[in-house]
Amino acid sequence: MKTIKYSKITPESVYKNRRSFLKRLGFGASTLAFSSIPLINNGFAKDRNELTSYKDITTYNNYYEFGTSKGDPYKNSQTFKTTPWEISIEGEIDKPIKLSMEEISETFLSEERIYRLRCVEGWSMVIPWLGFSLSDLLSKVKPTSKAKFVEFESVYDPEQMKGQKYPVLNWPYKEGLRIDEAMHPLTTVVTGLYGKKLPNQNGAPLRIFIPWKYGFKSAKAIVKIKFVEKMPMSSWMWASPREYGFYSNVNPNVNHPRWSQATERIIGEGIWAPRVKTLMFNGYGEEVANLYTGMDLKKNF
Ligand SMILES: Nc1nc2c(c(=O)[nH]1)N[C@H]1C(S)=C(S)[C@@H](COP(=O)(O)O)O[C@H]1N2
Ligand SMILES: [Mo]
């Protein structure tokens, strides 16, 4: 299996760090290889936990700033400048701060995190990300009593990002989470993949990844994290509120108005491979279902 091959090329420091992270979450060392993805093989799929190839992860992308076709981000983002880069943390907090990418990499050690990405379009990949919990970063600031949500903002630079010259979305790309969702240990700041620095098309130098939500919640090339009182309006909610809600938890029981969400196609298996069943919360229910106790997830889609 590809995963075993990959573990051989993972730098030891990454693994050591991963182990300590898993300990903190209460996992034993024996669960190391797959602890972050649910071990589910629903019979007709070959192996839904197999890592997607580096090539597929880096050439089949959604990143509308660089075009709306899957191959566009790879083609059009190679010369995108990611240095210098600063992230501003602001809004309803005691002291707003700006952090350079260098400060972030020095302060927070990235570790390997294998998580499944499920796009709202009905395909999925399993990706060996490098990253750290967003809560590590957010716990450095003190939200005011008004703060209820966090809003993420991607970079706005139409000279470098030609897609921003077209009103396909309201630029800059924005997303949002409730504070408890943002503070959940699975919510990840991504800095790399396959043991390497993050490619531009995947959101360099820094993007968010929320394993139990549809891919579009995971904003790329982040420049701002803002604590706010009211539920933020994401770019996709602006574009089509009927189709894209604030929560966007992966949910096989709630269809997109134009298609079913019950199954998904695993990228890399070829177009004839059978689709596999989509799992509630993308398979991370044990970890995150308690965030939504008592909520009607059909209404709060
Ligand atoms: N800034 C920005 N972030 C974005 C997008 C985008 O168009 N712009 N697309 C989203 C969608 S729909 C998906 S599925 C994932 C894809 O991430 P990947 O290319 O790393 O697989 O990024 C999300 N983040
Ligand atoms: Mo997506």
Side-chain angles (χ1 to χ4, degrees):
M1 210 153 38
K2 280 177 197 158
T3 313
I4 290 158
K5 248 192 270 162
Y6 174 62
S7 67
K8 284 188 189 145
I9 61 153
T10 302
E12 209 195 348
S13 58
V14 171
Y15 259 95
K16 276 204 188 118
N17 192 41
R18 178 150 195 253
R19 201 170 271 130
S20 64
F21 170 72
L22 292 171
K23 255 197 214 131
R24 264 201 283 136
L25 283 182
F27 292 110
S30 61
T31 55
L32 197 64
F34 282 120
S35 60
S36 53
I37 48 171
L39 272 172
I40 287 143
N41 193 329
N42 56 9
F44 51 105
K46 243 189 352 205
D47 174 7
R48 63 175 296 149
N49 299 317
E50 193 172 314
L51 294 188
T52 306
S53 72
Y54 184 79
K55 185 164 182 241
D56 281 335
I57 295 171
T58 57
T59 58
Y60 190 91
N61 303 99
N62 273 335
Y63 198 169
Y64 280 18
E65 285 88 335
F66 291 108
T68 53
S69 299
K70 296 287 177 285
D72 287 344
Y74 169 73
K75 270 191 291 181
N76 302 331
S77 71
Q78 295 312 315
T79 57
F80 177 62
K81 255 193 93 213
T82 56
T83 47
W85 198 271
E86 236 181 23
I87 288 123
S88 166
I89 308 181
E90 55 184 66
E92 290 295 338
I93 54 175
D94 279 358
K95 275 196 218 113
I97 47 163
K98 284 195 167 119
L99 293 167
S100 70
M101 206 42 218
E102 288 76 20
E103 286 172 300
I104 289 177
S105 348
E106 276 162 26
T107 315
F108 306 99
L109 207 58
S110 289
E111 65 201 6
E112 183 198 63
R113 296 180 165 204
I114 301 168
Y115 295 145
R116 175 178 297 104
L117 181 153
R118 167 62 158 83
C119 179
V120 75
E121 295 163 340
W123 49 266
S124 67
M125 302 187 187
V126 176
I127 305 180
W129 304 104
L130 288 177
F132 57 89
S133 288
L134 176 64
S135 63
D136 293 350
L137 177 60
L138 296 188
S139 58
K140 303 273 184 235
V141 299
K142 245 191 160 180
T144 69
S145 59
K146 279 190 185 161
K148 298 271 174 342
F149 297 89
V150 283
E151 183 182 78
F152 302 99
E153 195 175 300
S154 298
V155 68
Y156 181 69
D157 188 350
E159 277 322 301
Q160 290 201 79
M161 299 172 134
K162 301 294 183 211
Q164 288 181 334
K165 299 196 173 190
Y166 306 90
V168 271
L169 290 173
N170 68 318
W171 309 111
Y173 194 97
K174 281 187 190 167
E175 264 305 336
L177 294 173
R178 243 168 36 196
I179 287 184
D180 58 341
E181 296 178 315
M183 295 301 285
H184 191 282
L186 285 181
T187 300
T188 299
V189 176
V190 169
T191 56
L193 58 85
Y194 264 109
K196 299 185 219 187
K197 107 183 208 307
L198 195 62
N200 287 345
Q201 60 271 30
N202 295 90
L206 188 125
R207 61 93 66 85
I208 302 296
F209 189 70
I210 307 123
W212 70 97
K213 293 181 182 275
Y214 290 117
F216 65 87
K217 295 296 285 181
S218 299
K220 296 176 173 180
I222 295 278
V223 290
K224 195 190 284 181
I225 300 174
K226 192 173 176 184
F227 284 77
V228 294
E229 187 175 3
K230 297 214 177 82
M231 182 181 281
M233 184 71 137
S234 70
S235 293
W236 286 104
M237 290 163 78
W238 272 104
S240 185
R242 196 175 68 90
E243 293 171 293
Y244 309 109
F246 174 78
Y247 283 96
S248 298
N249 292 319
V250 173
N251 188 340
N253 310 313
V254 177
N255 290 336
H256 183 280
R258 292 185 280 135
W259 58 82
S260 159
Q261 294 290 20
T263 64
E264 65 205 52
R265 181 168 73 86
I266 297 179
I267 297 297
E269 287 205 328
I271 50 166
W272 303 113
R275 295 172 70 88
V276 302
K277 281 184 184 149
T278 286
L279 303 175
M280 188 65 203
F281 297 116
N282 205 16
Y284 303 95
E286 237 175 81
E287 285 100 328
V288 303
N290 64 323
L291 292 171
Y292 309 102
T293 312
M295 270 179 79
D296 180 347
L297 296 179
K298 287 207 161 94
K299 261 195 213 140
N300 298 283
F301 62 90

